[in-house]
């Protein structure tokens, strides 16, 4: 199932194709510098032709006057007196009239200052067309052939028992940078599509965030100004989906239906990378989230926090965890509150195994809607596990995303789950049950790995890097070492 908002990039792609066609048919005009150079060339050519014509006329008139003077000067004394000129006036006039003057030359034709699209513009338009073609092909594949979901879309097994996984399996990454992946990076680099994708990603997401900030400008809010908020949120969705498309996510497949905020206030999902945060932010119409107070100093982030009514916590404060839990409980029981987006793993998993769900989101003991995310892949698993686990850091991940022909994301909204009496009294059991449900839907294992294990793996990785660097330096020939 696809929401209406999911078709916005398709409409945008159609508009891009129309603009490209008009661009290629519309004459372009040079810059003022080029125009001045063209007019100067035209003026210089006309001036040269005029000077050549003047010299020709001057030469012919001089030759005729010389003949007339010789006819009048009969005695050859280089003087013409009255007697020699007497009776020869008509002859002189006839001689002057008989001068064969050349006709005026045709002025040079003013060159057509219109120019065709420059080669740089042609390259950019070809890059656009390649991206639009990939977008259209992927959407045709989904709309026409309707391939099956990689995640489970059948009836939910609320008592599912997914396979248990070890901590080592949770920290494993399965798609390293192979030759094929390096070739794609090289291909997108030399064609320039990589740079176009980066530029489009920055532009589209920046405009989307500006629309979020615009929704609260002048003290406006989603409750006091609902019409204004709908207009701004529409702009957020348009540019948000375009931003995802620039990352290669041309078609986000959605199964299930998001529950209304009267049914549940908590949206709980598995965390793989940063993309599902953006996708759920768009699908759930700018939900609330938990953020560090330090993020308020980031550009445009304060407006984002105000528009979504984010729960801002100070992690340095001793009471931060207590205040966060109190804010979640208050939000979960407030009928007017915005839905709260929570990723209880506290870090990103590798899609093969889910990390342990923290109990904070489940302590209120209220109904929750589980949101399952999965990225179907073959050569590139877009999980943000870090280099310590053999995976990708943030920039590695983005570079590999930009270098894919297409990235795919599947989202399934499960029916609202109401905890049992035992789970309301035991948030740890409630969290473990929800972890097992999501793991069974996305066909992943369930583990007790936590963010602390990831921190330990990072420390071991950094220690090995230091040791390897020291060993490498120790084996470097003395002649190659720099002297202090």
């Amino acid at each position: 199932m696809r929401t209406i908002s999911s078709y916005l990039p398709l409409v945008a792609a159609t508009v891009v194709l129309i603009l490209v066609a008009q661009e290629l048919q519309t004459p372009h005009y040079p810059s003022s510098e080029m125009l001045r150079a063209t007019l100067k060339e035209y003026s210089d050519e006309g001036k040269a032709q005029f000077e050549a014509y003047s010299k020709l006329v001057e030469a012919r008139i001089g030759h005729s006057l010389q003949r007339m003077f010789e006819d009048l000067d009969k005695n050859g004394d280089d003087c013409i007196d009255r007697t020699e000129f007497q009776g020869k006036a008509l002859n002189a006039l006839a001689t002057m009239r008989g001068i064969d003057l050349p006709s005026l030359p045709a002025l040079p034709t003013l060159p057509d200052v219109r120019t065709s699209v420059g080669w740089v513009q042609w390259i950019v338009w070809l890059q656009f067309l390649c991206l639009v073609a990939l977008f259209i092909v992927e959407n045709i594949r989904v709309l026409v052939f309707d391939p099956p979901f990689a995640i489970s879309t059948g009836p939910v097994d609320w008592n599912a028992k997914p396979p248990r996984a070890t901590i080592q399996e949770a920290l494993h990454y399965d798609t390293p940078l192979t030759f094929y992946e390096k070739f794609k990076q090289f291909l997108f680099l030399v064609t320039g599509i990589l740079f176009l994708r980066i530029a489009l990603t920055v532009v589209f997401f920046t405009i989307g965030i500006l629309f979020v900030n615009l929704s609260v400008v002048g003290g406006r809010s989603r409750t006091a100004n609902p019409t204004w908020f709908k207009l701004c949120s529409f702009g957020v969705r348009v540019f948000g989906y375009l931003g995802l498309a620039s990352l290669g996510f041309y078609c986000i497949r959605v199964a299930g239906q998001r529950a209304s905020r009267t049914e549940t206030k908590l949206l709980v999902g598995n965390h793989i990378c940063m993309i599902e945060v953006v996708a759920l932010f768009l699908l759930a119409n700018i939900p609330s989230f938990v953020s560090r107070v330090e993020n308020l100093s980031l550009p445009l982030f304060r407006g984002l926090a105000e528009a979504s009514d984010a729960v801002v916590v100070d992690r340095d404060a001793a009471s931060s965890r207590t205040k966060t839990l109190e804010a979640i409980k208050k939000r979960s029981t407030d009928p007017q509150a915005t839905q709260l987006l929570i990723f209880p793993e506290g870090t990103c998993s590798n899609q093969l195994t889910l990390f342990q769900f923290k109990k904070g989101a489940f302590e209120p003991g209220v109904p929750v809607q589980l949101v399952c995310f999965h990225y179907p892949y073959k050569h590139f698993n877009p999980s943000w596990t870090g280099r310590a686990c053999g995976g990708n850091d943030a920039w590695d991940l983005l570079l590999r995303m930009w270098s894919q022909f297409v990235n795919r994301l599947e989202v399934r909204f499960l029916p609202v789950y109401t905890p049992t009496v035992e789970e309301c009294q035991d948030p740890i059991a409630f969290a473990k049950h929800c972890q097992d449900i999501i793991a069974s839907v996305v066909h992943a294992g369930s583990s007790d790995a936590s963010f602390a294990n990831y921190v330990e793996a990072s420390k071991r990785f950094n220690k090995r890097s230091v040791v390897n660097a020291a060993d490498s330096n120790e084996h470097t020939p003395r002649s190659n070492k720099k002297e202090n």
Side-chain angles (χ1 to χ4, degrees):
M1 183 195 74
R2 301 189 68 184
T3 61
I4 295 177
S5 299
S6 302
Y7 292 98
L8 293 177
L10 186 59
V11 175
T14 304
V15 173
V16 169
L17 284 176
I18 295 174
L19 292 177
V20 169
Q22 291 181 346
E23 180 74 13
L24 297 179
Q25 295 175 0
T26 303
H28 290 256
Y29 295 89
S31 63
S32 57
E33 291 293 333
M34 294 176 61
L35 185 58
R36 280 195 291 268
T38 301
L39 292 177
K40 185 177 184 302
E41 180 182 356
Y42 170 77
S43 176
D44 292 343
E45 184 179 355
K47 182 179 179 182
Q49 290 189 11
F50 178 76
E51 289 178 352
Y53 175 76
S54 299
K55 291 180 179 179
L56 181 60
V57 171
E58 182 179 352
R60 292 195 178 184
I61 291 178
H63 180 68
S64 299
L65 289 175
Q66 181 67 29
R67 275 187 355 199
M68 183 181 66
F69 184 83
E70 292 175 353
D71 290 341
L72 294 176
D73 188 17
K74 296 301 183 180
N75 55 10
D77 59 355
D78 294 331
C79 292
I80 302 175
D81 55 23
R82 183 177 299 177
T83 58
E84 290 176 326
F85 190 75
Q86 195 171 16
K88 300 293 182 69
L90 293 178
N91 292 338
L93 181 60
T95 302
M96 291 297 296
R97 287 182 176 179
I99 297 176
D100 183 17
L101 295 178
S103 59
L104 286 171
L107 293 176
T109 305
L110 184 65
D112 189 359
V113 296
R114 296 180 301 175
T115 62
S116 59
V117 180
W119 65 271
V120 175
Q121 293 171 295
W122 269 107
I123 291 177
V124 174
W125 283 122
L126 287 175
Q127 293 169 349
F128 262 115
L129 289 175
C130 289
L131 294 180
V132 172
L134 290 173
F135 178 89
I136 293 175
V137 169
E138 176 64 12
N139 278 269
I140 289 176
R141 184 189 74 88
V142 173
L143 295 175
V144 176
F145 300 100
D146 192 21
F149 278 77
I151 60 177
S152 175
T153 55
V156 181
D157 184 3
W158 298 109
N159 297 313
K161 297 296 180 181
R164 298 294 297 170
T166 64
I167 294 177
Q168 289 71 24
E169 290 174 325
L171 298 177
H172 172 68
Y173 184 71
D174 60 338
T175 54
L177 193 62
T178 61
F179 173 79
Y180 176 64
E181 288 296 301
K182 293 179 181 178
F183 170 75
K184 285 192 292 186
Q185 289 184 358
F186 174 77
L187 177 65
F188 280 85
L189 177 66
V190 297
T191 57
I193 297 179
L194 174 63
F195 302 106
L196 179 61
R197 275 184 162 177
I198 294 174
L200 292 177
T201 301
V202 173
V203 170
F204 288 146
F205 280 130
T206 301
I207 296 176
I209 295 176
L210 286 175
F211 268 103
V212 176
N213 283 260
L214 191 62
S215 66
V216 294
V217 68
R220 295 178 175 86
S221 66
R222 67 196 307 165
T223 54
N225 310 94
T227 303
W228 176 255
F229 182 80
K230 286 182 180 179
L231 291 173
C232 293
S233 62
F234 178 77
V236 173
R237 290 196 299 274
V238 169
F239 288 98
Y241 282 119
L242 288 175
L244 290 176
S246 66
L247 281 165
F249 293 91
Y250 303 122
C251 179
I252 299 177
R253 304 186 70 193
V254 180
Q257 186 70 37
R258 178 176 66 92
S260 64
R261 64 179 184 175
T262 58
E263 297 176 86
T264 180
K265 287 294 189 296
L266 301 181
L267 303 176
V268 178
N270 58 312
H271 199 11
I272 301 167
C273 65
M274 72 287 288
I275 300 301
E276 65 269 10
V277 180
V278 179
L280 191 52
F281 197 77
L282 300 175
L283 292 171
N285 195 23
I286 313 181
S288 183
F289 57 93
V290 180
S291 175
R292 299 180 300 171
V293 67
E294 293 85 359
N295 291 336
L296 295 178
S297 60
L298 298 175
L300 303 177
F301 190 86
R302 182 175 293 275
L304 181 63
E306 292 179 2
S308 60
D309 194 17
V311 177
V312 181
V313 297
D314 185 1
R315 291 187 177 183
D316 295 332
S319 59
S320 62
R321 183 177 182 276
T322 302
K323 291 183 178 180
T324 302
L325 292 178
E326 290 177 354
I328 293 176
K329 289 180 180 179
K330 182 179 179 181
R331 185 68 58 86
S332 62
T333 56
D334 184 1
Q336 301 298 325
T338 307
Q339 288 181 319
L340 183 61
L341 170 61
I342 299 177
F343 294 99
E345 291 174 279
T347 188
C348 296
S349 68
N350 61 2
Q351 291 207 91
L352 308 174
T353 301
L354 265 64
F355 276 61
Q356 183 184 55
F357 278 20
K358 297 182 180 298
K359 66 177 183 177
F362 306 95
E363 289 194 353
V366 296
V368 298
Q369 183 173 34
L370 303 179
V371 188
C372 307
F373 296 94
H374 179 69
Y375 299 83
Y377 68 94
K378 183 177 181 181
H379 301 284
F380 168 56
N381 179 359
S383 59
W384 188 5
T385 57
R387 294 182 180 178
C389 300
N392 307 288
D393 285 341
W395 290 111
D396 303 327
L397 186 65
L398 286 172
L399 178 61
R400 292 188 67 176
M401 280 186 184
W402 281 317
S403 302
Q404 302 299 314
F405 294 107
V406 59
N407 292 300
R408 297 186 173 101
L409 171 60
E410 295 178 353
V411 184
R412 182 182 180 185
F413 291 95
L414 301 185
V416 175
Y417 176 75
T418 302
T420 63
V421 176
E422 293 78 10
E423 290 174 339
C424 289
Q425 298 173 352
D426 186 359
I428 295 179
F430 187 10
K432 180 66 176 63
H433 189 191
C434 291
Q435 178 190 11
D436 289 343
I437 293 172
I438 293 181
S440 66
V441 172
V442 299
H443 307 300
S446 179
S447 75
D448 293 329
S450 65
F451 181 68
N453 299 119
Y454 175 75
V455 172
E456 292 177 3
S458 299
K459 289 180 179 179
R460 291 194 298 269
F461 174 79
N462 294 332
K463 186 177 180 179
R464 288 196 303 269
S465 300
V466 172
V467 172
N468 293 336
D471 292 342
S472 177
N473 188 51
E474 191 69 26
H475 289 85
T476 301
R478 184 177 302 274
S479 58
N480 293 338
K481 292 182 179 181
K482 294 182 178 180
E483 296 182 359
N484 295 329

